[in-house]
Amino acid sequence: MSVRAKRLFGGVKIPSRKLSAGSPILPLEGVEEVCIPVRQHIGAPATPVVQAGQRVKRGELIAKSSAPISANIHASVAGTVKAVEERPDGKGSTVLCVVLTREGEEEAFLPPLTNPSKEEILARIEEAGIVGMGGAGFPSHVKLRPSTPVDTLLLNGAECEPYLTCDDALMRSHCDEIVRGAKYLAAALGAERILIGIEKNKPEAISAFSGALEVVPLKKKYPMGSEKHIVYTCTGRKIPLGKLPAAVGVDVQNVATAFAVYEAIEKGKPLIERVVTLSGKGAKEQKNLLCPVGAPLSSLIRACGGEQGAVKLVAGGPMTGTALVGEEAVVTKTSSGFLLLSRGETNAEKPTACINCGRCGNVCPMKLLPMQIEFYTEVKDYEAAEKYGGATSCIECGACGYVCPARRPLLQSIRAAKAALRRKV
Ligand code: SF4
Ligand code: SF4
């Protein structure tokens, strides 16, 4: 069954560049060492519970959730703990990691559950360390306990960022498992209705889900997959500023999260691996790879035949991703992809002065004034950036910077303003 989508305000039409579309999910081979960060989620880092020299099985708890908003971390391979230490994160900083040397195949999964109750589902999701896998990484057991009643579960299969195809690959090959995971999620929420929103450039996925769930085929427009916007386009409900989808009776979960929930309940498998897209013309091949959490980016690049003239490395998609300064980055629970961009895929032109064309405001899906935010951020008047531009309502989609003819670094300014305003609270 298919439901008609509402129109998205603003947004931009951008080339999909889905170079790995149609690629099957291939297991990442040859990973001898994984480096697992204890913070892969929003909230407090997990506390390591293993020491150097200790043997661990695949699926064993290695770092324990340390606060109400935190998540457990498990060994993604069997082996020996080489170190628990700070390691570079590829973004110019360091992060505490549990480093495992791979040896053997022993597993320590949880017992599978049959006909679990709502509380058993929630407890398993927490135990398995499941977090939102669409990018935010909010611990799922917290998100699934909303303070207001939820009647609709909305699965996000939009995958509107260029290049990324990991969700599409999962939807094409694991529709039944995602549906089962969605039913557990709906049961945990007490939601009667399950919808799935998928952009129309994924016809195979739309057809796979058509007999199983209410499918909302979405127009290909960026940022269709933003939580606020997919809720409106799929349900017609508008989330008030500063509120979460639960305020309008909706809970949004990424399709990969639903798949992880299925695996945690029916196989007892914690969240220890995920599908990651390695793409960009700076890689010899572009693939969707099933990777253990903690796998080094270099192993994904090797699996794609190596690099060929890459000038920029990005973790995530080109619109919202983070530029990397080195190959030390590793796969985390929220890694949707890594891009090796060639010269022709990046814009190296220098910014020029704003010409007040207004395009950035016209495409902003939050109806903000990005040029005002940037102007006031440059003079460090962050209150004015909020008052006249609406800085804190920005969802950081990057659509404004994409259309700017002066190539102003709008998103960087907005992020700086938001960070400064947070510090003042
Ligand atoms: S101001 Fe924020 S929400 Fe608006 S287009 Fe720019 S990045 Fe997106
Ligand atoms: S799109 Fe760029 S040049 Fe046009 S008003 Fe916005 S910041 Fe200025």
Side-chain angles (χ1 to χ4, degrees), residues 11 222-223 229 360-361 363-371 373 389-391 393-401 410-411 414 418:
Y222 182 84
H229 300 95
C360 53
V363 300
C364 177
M366 296 302 290
K367 304 183 182 173
L368 308 178
L369 295 173
M371 73 297 253
I373 305 174
S393 301
C394 171
I395 57 167
E396 301 186 15
C397 67
C400 49
L410 297 171
L411 187 50
I414 295 165
K418 287 173 77 176

Side-chain angles (χ1 to χ4, degrees), residues 354-360 371 404-406 408 410:
C354 169
I355 55 167
N356 284 321
C357 65
R359 285 189 209 173
C360 53
M371 73 297 253
C404 176
R408 301 298 313 160
L410 297 171

Side-chain angles (χ1 to χ4, degrees), residues 11 34 66 115 204 244 248 277 298 314 323 340 366 393:
V34 291
S66 61
N115 297 323
E204 219 183 302
L244 296 169
V248 294
T277 300
S298 54
V314 177
L340 278 71
M366 296 302 290
S393 301

Side-chain angles (χ1 to χ4, degrees), residues 373-389:
I373 305 174
E374 197 207 21
F375 173 79
Y376 286 111
T377 302
E378 284 204 334
V379 295
K380 298 196 169 26
D381 188 347
Y382 304 114
E383 279 80 14
E386 174 64 0
K387 186 172 176 190
Y388 300 113

Side-chain angles (χ1 to χ4, degrees), residues 82-236:
K82 182 175 171 187
V84 180
E85 64 185 17
E86 293 281 332
R87 287 279 182 110
D89 64 357
K91 297 172 190 167
S93 188
T94 61
V95 59
L96 183 63
C97 293
V98 176
V99 185
L100 301 178
T101 306
R102 189 175 204 159
E103 288 158 11
E105 298 294 332
E106 311 102 292
E107 281 181 352
F109 286 4
L110 302 159
L113 301 175
T114 312
N115 297 323
S117 66
K118 171 180 172 158
E119 284 312 317
E120 284 172 326
I121 295 169
L122 288 167
R124 173 54 57 92
I125 288 171
E126 182 170 4
E127 209 175 355
I130 296 176
V131 303
M133 294 169 74
F138 199 82
S140 301
H141 65 278
V142 182
K143 194 174 178 187
L144 289 166
R145 289 187 172 96
S147 53
T148 46
V150 160
D151 59 28
T152 302
L153 168 68
L154 172 56
L155 287 188
N156 189 344
E159 201 168 50
C160 58
E161 274 260 6
Y163 291 95
L164 302 182
T165 57
C166 53
D167 288 349
D168 184 28
L170 200 61
M171 289 191 286
R172 286 188 285 109
S173 56
H174 291 288
C175 169
D176 288 350
E177 294 88 341
I178 292 170
V179 171
R180 291 161 89 114
K183 288 182 177 166
Y184 294 122
L185 285 163
L189 288 160
E192 303 111 38
R193 189 178 184 203
I194 307 176
L195 292 169
I196 181 166
I198 307 174
E199 273 197 348
K200 287 180 186 167
N201 60 351
K202 303 173 190 66
E204 219 183 302
I206 290 177
S207 121
F209 282 90
S210 289
L213 296 177
E214 282 186 76
V215 180
V216 190
L218 301 166
K219 193 171 169 187
K220 199 187 93 50
K221 199 173 186 191
Y222 182 84
M224 188 58 84
S226 124
E227 208 167 69
K228 270 198 162 51
H229 300 95
I230 198 168
V231 167
Y232 175 68
T233 49
C234 290
T235 68

